[in-house]
Amino acid sequence: MIDISESVMQILLAVIVVGPLIGAAAALLPAPPGLKGKSPEQAVLRHGVTVTGVVLIAAIVLALGFDHDQPSRMQATTDISWIPALDVRIHLGIDGISLPLLVLTALLTFLCALYSYFKMPAGPTPKAFVALLLVLESGTLATFAVLDLLLFFLAFEMVLIPMYFLIARWGGAQRQAAAWKFILFTLLGSVVMLLGLLLIGIKAGTFDMVALATDNGRSLTTSVQVIAVLAIGIGLAVKTPMWPLHSWLPDAHTAAPTVGSVLLAGVMLKMGTYGFVRILLPITPDGFRTFAPYLAAFAVVGIIYGSLACLALAKQGAKGDLKRLIAYSSVGHMGFVLLGISTMTPTGVNGALFANIAHGLITGLLFFLVGALKDRTGTTDLDTLAEETGAALYGKAPRLGGLLAFAAVASLGLPGLAGFWGEMLALFGAFEPAAGLSRPAYLTFMAIAALGTLLTAAYMLIVVRRVCMGGTSQEEPKLADVQSYEFAAWTPLVALTVVAGLWPRALLGLTDPAVQQLLAGGTR
């Protein structure tokens, strides 16, 4: 770790949040100030790589300068009055809960920009693509850095329009319908969420998330907390997505371009679960306790439902789409995150936060790999891949097949890889939930969720067998194996998946003190 003054940390966090917006505006200029390329299109794509690279470097320096001895303390804080009449403030800061998500967002966006530089999705001008990618990054980063309820809502909504256009203009088949379904679901959920946020701010007299978390719900009656949790929880559950509010996700992932799917699964879904931890747990604890068993029930239904849907898609002759299968797997994986949060225990919440990061790394890699398969074969249909490519993928493109098998076993929770710890801790949290929650009910939820881990292993191994295994004849043409730009984009995800699996303390050491303090009564 390095010693950096608080003022420099403040500047770094401001650059991380605002920098992509400035870069997006610059990308739309007649001559973007990116590095020169062979053509204007190449120049603007290189500009996107440069801006996201600078943001990633700033995020890494911020993480190195972060005081790891006090991860529960808000650091790099900026607090400026913005709308005095409503007591809305430009309040930024990070702690051990938000820092990993901030770095994950910066990393995945940079890798997507790098990948797009070499493999730009078919569609309109790259100028608009790069600008939308940068606006999306800014909104996501702001969601994890702001400490005001109204600013959180603005950042939460800021990502919707760029993702809508990324799907609608650069997506595949059925992209218009998928984009409309995405925007309608998320906007309707957000309207209800805004009402809950306003209710908290008006009743408590402030929108400051740190002050509200420190108050720990004492200035809000139980009935107000229950109404606020219901309203805010619906909006967050749509974004997570929680069963049965998930139906927009498979269509959006199937239609989205590769980088859209990576960012949607890798960081946008985390905005919903982050809201549960940052807002509902510390600010409305009594109201959250009322709904926690129902949240857990929906979570375990989502785990089983997502796994069974994946099994149905993986079955031979089912005409399953590999991108759609991975999308449904996200419903199951995010179910474990919600189950951990619902326990209201440090063990469960830490497991949820760990599973968030693991899912971002592993599912981001999976969507990159499926995108590469589609580029090479023109399809993501499992039957077609098995017949024309998959049964011999190890022989035709061994590195690509090996990476796909690695990502699959990481996703099913193989011990020693990142996917294992989050789900295990969520189950441990359900074994001994917080006081006031029914232990017999949570033991039942734990047993059902454990069955979901077996189903996950089943469908992932079926995918590996169908898509990767088998021999190849001399007559079969080879597929292009992993290219250098793909290697550059995927290696960090592989490495971090292994590191997080072998050394979970690197992440849990950040989150645990912050979670302990948050559950005890807010943040400092």
Side-chain angles (χ1 to χ4, degrees):
M1 302 305 111
I2 57 178
D3 186 19
I4 300 178
S5 67
E6 183 68 12
S7 59
V8 174
M9 295 277 282
Q10 292 172 349
I11 293 171
L12 283 172
L13 186 57
V15 167
I16 290 168
V17 173
V18 180
L21 274 183
I22 298 173
L28 297 175
L29 295 175
L35 302 177
K36 291 184 178 179
K38 297 178 181 178
S39 66
E41 290 77 15
Q42 188 186 53
V44 76
L45 290 170
R46 189 166 294 185
H47 170 73
V49 176
T50 303
V51 174
T52 56
V54 170
V55 171
L56 175 59
I57 292 171
I60 293 172
V61 174
L62 185 72
L64 292 174
F66 186 81
D67 186 354
H68 290 253
D69 293 328
Q70 301 184 68
S72 61
R73 179 176 66 85
M74 282 294 172
Q75 302 180 35
T77 54
T78 299
D79 192 0
I80 304 170
S81 179
W82 185 35
I83 308 175
L86 298 176
D87 193 29
V88 178
R89 310 183 68 80
I90 299 176
H91 193 180
L92 305 176
I94 55 167
D95 64 357
I97 294 172
S98 52
L99 179 62
L101 290 166
L102 203 77
V103 176
L104 175 68
T105 301
L107 172 65
L108 284 178
T109 312
F110 169 72
L111 296 181
C112 285
L114 179 66
Y115 187 85
S116 300
Y117 177 75
F118 294 95
K119 196 69 180 180
M120 171 70 191
T125 168
K127 279 181 175 287
F129 176 84
V130 170
L132 290 169
L133 190 69
L134 293 174
V135 172
L136 179 64
E137 178 182 32
S138 181
T140 310
L141 290 168
T143 301
F144 301 134
V146 298
L147 298 172
D148 182 277
L149 289 179
L150 291 186
L151 278 184
F152 176 86
F153 176 77
L154 293 177
F156 197 83
E157 295 303 287
M158 184 176 166
V159 303
L160 300 184
I161 299 303
M163 182 54 73
Y164 167 81
F165 281 109
L166 285 175
I167 297 172
R169 303 302 299 275
W170 286 271
Q174 306 297 319
R175 59 181 182 269
Q176 292 290 345
W180 273 110
K181 195 171 185 179
F182 161 77
I183 200 76
L184 288 176
F185 263 78
T186 49
L187 278 178
L188 288 173
S190 297
V191 169
V192 181
M193 183 176 77
L194 177 60
L195 296 177
L197 295 174
L198 291 174
L199 177 63
I200 290 176
I202 292 169
K203 291 295 184 180
T206 181
F207 289 98
D208 188 270
M209 292 161 66
V210 174
L212 288 165
T214 304
D215 182 67
N216 202 218
R218 286 182 287 270
S219 61
L220 301 171
T221 65
T222 301
S223 59
V224 168
Q225 290 189 37
V226 167
I227 296 171
V229 169
L230 180 61
I232 297 170
I234 289 173
L236 297 175
V238 170
K239 187 66 71 74
T240 298
M242 180 186 77
W243 180 93
L245 303 174
H246 69 284
S247 61
W248 61 270
L249 183 70
D251 293 339
H253 269 310
T254 304
T258 296
V259 295
S261 291
V262 170
L263 292 176
L264 183 58
V267 294
M268 282 188 64
L269 304 188
K270 315 306 177 284
M271 295 165 65
T273 52
Y274 175 77
F276 278 104
V277 174
R278 178 64 74 197
I279 298 174
L280 296 187
L281 272 179
I283 297 175
T284 56
D286 295 334
F288 190 84
R289 188 173 285 104
T290 300
F291 284 104
Y294 303 102
L295 178 63
F298 283 124
V300 296
V301 170
I303 291 170
I304 300 300
Y305 170 84
S307 299
L308 291 177
C310 289
L311 273 175
L313 290 169
K315 190 170 62 174
Q316 194 164 3
K319 295 297 181 184
D321 184 280
L322 189 52
K323 283 189 76 173
R324 198 172 190 86
L325 184 148
I326 297 170
Y328 273 110
S329 77
S330 292
V331 176
H333 288 305
M334 299 311 288
F336 280 99
V337 176
L338 292 174
L339 176 62
I341 294 170
S342 76
T343 67
M344 301 184 72
T345 63
T347 300
V349 176
N350 275 305
L353 294 172
F354 198 103
N356 257 346
I357 301 299
H359 180 264
L361 296 171
I362 296 168
T363 309
L365 177 60
L366 276 169
F367 277 117
F368 269 133
L369 293 167
V370 174
L373 272 177
K374 186 174 183 180
D375 290 337
R376 288 159 170 77
T377 65
T379 184
T380 54
D381 178 77
L382 272 168
D383 280 340
T384 306
L385 287 172
E387 291 169 6
E388 299 182 6
T389 310
L393 186 56
Y394 280 154
K396 290 184 173 182
R399 294 182 182 86
L400 186 60
L403 281 171
L404 184 60
F406 169 85
V409 297
S411 182
L412 63 83
L414 183 72
L417 298 176
F420 172 73
W421 295 106
E423 295 182 1
M424 184 195 70
L425 290 172
L427 293 175
F428 280 176
F431 182 76
E432 193 71 54
L437 299 178
S438 170
R439 190 173 184 226
Y442 271 85
L443 288 175
T444 304
F445 297 147
M446 183 189 73
I448 297 172
L451 174 62
T453 63
L454 298 178
L455 295 175
T456 301
Y459 71 72
M460 278 299 179
L461 292 176
I462 290 173
V463 168
V464 171
R465 177 180 61 80
R466 292 190 62 197
V467 177
C468 297
M469 290 183 169
T472 182
S473 67
Q474 295 296 322
E475 292 76 21
E476 290 179 312
K478 293 283 186 179
L479 286 178
D481 214 336
V482 178
Q483 305 295 302
S484 57
Y485 71 91
E486 294 171 329
F487 180 80
W490 303 342
T491 298
L493 301 180
V494 174
L496 289 173
T497 298
V498 174
V499 170
L502 296 178
W503 192 32
R505 186 181 180 278
L507 184 56
L508 294 174
L510 277 175
T511 62
D512 184 54
V515 167
Q516 296 274 3
Q517 184 166 298
L518 179 139
L519 293 175
T523 55
R524 294 196 302 271

